[in-house]
Every structure is written in structure tokens, then in C-alpha cells.
């Protein structure tokens, strides 16, 4: 018989269900063992994430230098602005709607700490550098390689990036469902799982709605610039949205996104240049999903987040997620360090964010690839006729 291969989405759902049930009957010894794994895995994540930024963002920045000058810069700036605006859109929308159906502080630190489980082993794995240092180094080496033309260093970073991808794909991703399982099991044992699951459904649905609304705004703006019917253009992108939703990857949907963009009358040269580039630098949907989830967790755990702190996070996160589509769950992985260093989340909160983020992974990439088509419309209007 063929071996059944489950998707990460299915594994996460199974992990949540099994963790919630086991926590109701598990003895304290078992919960402590799972808590020990949870803490050790969190330490491994902290160690790997800065290396992920160095290994993926650095070569991505270096590769950006090999392009079409002004058009390249325009695409990157628009993609970055769209990603940042998606995060701000999420902040202002969720700040107004979450109070309508979420209870502030219902999963507060005092509530979670009512019953605690100590780990059997407490081992620290300090990262080589923090996230901001990793981002600065990525820019320094990436931009430096563009001007110095250091093929040896470029090759070394490319190979380093492949090693990091291997670690993420073969170690981190396979263990993520177990990490979520251990976290949910502990919450169930503490008696707070009903709050987590009840709020989680509302948060996920909120993220889906916000991502669709943001796409409508994107296409209204792009349609006005390109002098095209925005709703017809958005309708033409539905196959790309559904494909991205089903396979949860921006990069893998490039052929479908290109074909849908072609139906919107965008030139072939613009499509071949813009769509592959945007699949690596335009993360509007994933940002909406991450931002919505993070704000919800902050709200229900009673962790205040000022707009200044959040803005700092969004500006850094839009940079950190460059080239993350090359790794399953890359946007989430690249943002974990920022969630703790800038937003001030503790490991338990980041674990909860991961569980909600991965519980319905598809709508983020679906929004990403559909938004790529909007950027292509703008670039075709600005540069298409000049190049024809």
C-alpha cells in the first residue's frame, strides 16, 4: 500500500484535536514531558530564525541587483509598500472589530499561570545574533555583493541558504505539529483550551475576510492606474487565488498567476519579470494573516501593543520575509524573532500564534499571488508601452 502523506494543514488540525483531548486526561508527568519538548523546540527556533534571515534574505538582495534598473526598483518598492499597508490595514480593522467578539484578557497570564507544569530539562540554545543584527548583516552583505561582484561570497551564501532550507524543511517543519500538539495539550490540561479554540475560529475567519477586502482595494487602485475594470481583473485572478489556497505556496503558483495576469492584458515581458519577482518580495496576504493572528493573541492575553511598536514590527517584518516563499512556513519562521524582540511576546504566545497561523494556511499565499497580478497591472501601465 502507498504511504499516505498528510499536508501540514491536516497535521496541524490533528495535532490541535489530539492535544485538546489528551490534555483532559493526561497525567502531570506526561504533560511535563511534552512541556520539556515544547521549551527545547522553542530554543531551537530562536537559534535557527536569525540564520534563516541571513541565509535567505542575503542572496535574495544580491540577486535583486541583476535586473532592469528602474522597473526592478519600482516593483520592489510597490511590493514593500503593499506588504506594509496590508499590515497597517489589519491593525486598524482588527482594532475596531475584535472588541465586538473577543474578550480582552480572557487568556491572561494570570489565567494561564493558575496551573503550571515544570520542565524536566531547562537548556538554553542562544542564537548567534538577534533579528535586527541579522537583517542589518543581510543588507550589508547583499548590497555589498551587488557592487563588489563577489562570486565566491555569493556562492557561499547561496549554499548556506540551501543548508538553512534543508534544516527548515527536514527538521523544523516536521516537528511543528508536535510543537503545537504539546502546547495545546498543556493548555487543555490547564483548562483554557475552550477559550483558545473558540477565539481561534473567529480570528481565522477575520483574517480571510480582511485578505479579500484588501485585494479589492488593491485592484481598485491598480485598475484606476491601468485604466481597466478592477472587478473584471480580480475575477480573472480567481484560478490563481484558488490554486494558492490549495497548495499554500506563492512560488509554486507562478505559472497559474502568469496565465491569469495574461488574461488581464498585461504584456508578456512584464509578466515574466514581475510575477516571479513578486512571488519572493510581495507578502501582503501572509502579513495580514500574521498580523491578525498576533493582534488577536495580544488582545486575548491582555498584552497591550502600541501603534509605534506595531509599526516598527511591520516595517521590519516586510523586509524579513523576502524570499521566504522558498520555504514552507517561511513567512512565519522569519517573523518569529520579531514577534518576541519587537512585539514582546513570550514563547507561549508565539506558540499560540503559530497554531492559529497554520490552522488555515492557504488564504495567505492565495492573497499574495492574487495581489501580484495587481502589481503587474501597474507595472504594465508604467513600463509596458515604453518597452513595446
Amino acid at each position: 500500500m502507498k504511504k499516505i502523506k498528510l499536508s501540514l494543514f491536516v497535521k496541524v488540525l490533528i495535532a490541535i484535536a489530539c492535544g485538546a483531548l489528551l490534555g483532559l486526561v493526561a497525567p502531570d508527568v506526561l504533560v511535563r514531558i511534552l512541556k520539556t519538548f515544547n521549551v527545547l523546540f522553542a530554543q531551537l527556533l530562536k537559534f535557527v530564525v536569525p540564520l534563516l534571515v541571513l541565509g535567505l534574505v542575503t542572496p535574495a538582495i544580491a540577486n535583486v541587483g541583476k535586473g532592469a534598473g528602474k522597473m526592478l526598483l519600482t516593483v520592489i518598492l510597490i511590493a514593500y509598500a503593499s506588504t506594509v499597508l496590508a499590515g497597517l490595514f489589519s491593525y486598524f480593522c482588527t482594532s475596531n472589530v475584535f472588541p465586538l467578539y473577543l474578550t480582552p484578557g480572557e487568556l491572561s497570564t494570570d489565567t494561564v499561570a493558575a496551573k503550571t507544569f515544570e520542565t524536566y530539562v531547562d537548556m538554553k540554545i542562544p542564537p548567534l545574533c538577534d533579528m535586527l543584527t541579522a537583517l542589518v548583516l543581510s543588507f550589508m552583505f547583499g548590497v555589498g555583493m551587488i557592487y563588489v561582484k563577489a562570486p565566491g561570497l555569493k556562492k557561499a551564501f547561496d549554499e548556506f541558504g540551501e543548508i538553512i532550507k534543508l534544516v527548515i524543511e527536514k527538521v523544523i517543519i516536521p516537528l511543528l505539529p508536535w510543537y503545537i500538539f504539546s502546547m495545546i495539550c498543556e493548555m487543555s490540561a490547564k483548562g483554557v483550551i475552550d477559550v483558545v479554540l473558540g477565539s481561534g475560529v473567529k480570528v481565522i475567519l477575520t483574517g480571510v475576510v480582511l485578505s479579500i477586502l484588501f485585494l479589492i482595494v488593491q485592484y481598485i487602485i491598480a485598475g484606476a492606474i491601468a485604466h481597466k475594470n478592477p472587478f473584471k481583473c480580480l475575477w480573472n485572478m480567481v484560478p490563481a487565488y484558488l490554486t494558492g489556497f490549495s497548495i499554500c505556496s506563492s512560488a509554486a503558483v507562478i505559472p497559474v498567476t502568469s496565465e491569469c495576469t495574461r488574461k488581464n492584458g498585461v504584456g508578456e515581458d512584464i509578466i515574466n519579470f514581475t510575477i516571479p519577482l513578486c512571488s519572493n518580495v510581495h507578502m501582503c496576504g501572509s502579513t495580514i494573516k500574521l498580523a491578525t493572528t498576533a493582534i488577536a493573541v495580544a488582545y486575548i492575553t491582555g498584552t497591550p501593543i502600541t501603534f509605534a511598536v506595531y509599526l516598527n514590527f511591520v516595517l521590519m517584518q516586510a523586509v524579513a520575509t523576502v524570499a521566504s516563499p522558498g520555504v514552507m512556513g517561511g513567512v512565519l519562521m522569519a517573523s518569529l524573532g520579531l514577534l518576541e524582540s519587537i512585539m514582546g511576546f513570550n514563547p507561549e504566545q508565539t506558540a499560540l500564534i503559530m497554531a492559529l497561523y497554520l490552522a488555515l494556511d492557504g488564504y495567505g499565499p492565495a492573497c499574495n499571488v492574487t495581489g501580484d497580478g495587481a502589481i503587474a497591472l501597474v507595472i504594465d501601465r508604467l513600463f509596458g508601452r515604453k518597452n513595446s
Side-chain angles (χ1 to χ4, degrees), residues 51-60 62-63 66 141-142 145 149-165:
L51 299 180
L52 182 146
V53 172
L54 279 172
L56 297 186
V57 176
T58 304
N63 288 331
K66 304 173 182 178
F141 283 114
M145 285 186 284
K149 302 184 188 299
L153 188 59
K154 173 65 166 59
K155 182 180 179 181
F157 269 104
D158 285 337
E159 294 175 346
F160 177 62
E162 292 300 317
I163 294 174
I164 296 300
K165 286 183 182 180

Side-chain angles (χ1 to χ4, degrees), residues 305-328:
I305 297 178
T306 65
F307 177 71
V309 170
Y310 180 81
L311 179 62
N312 185 17
F313 167 75
V314 170
L315 293 175
M316 292 294 101
Q317 188 261 350
V319 176
T321 54
V322 171
S324 57
V327 180
M328 183 183 294

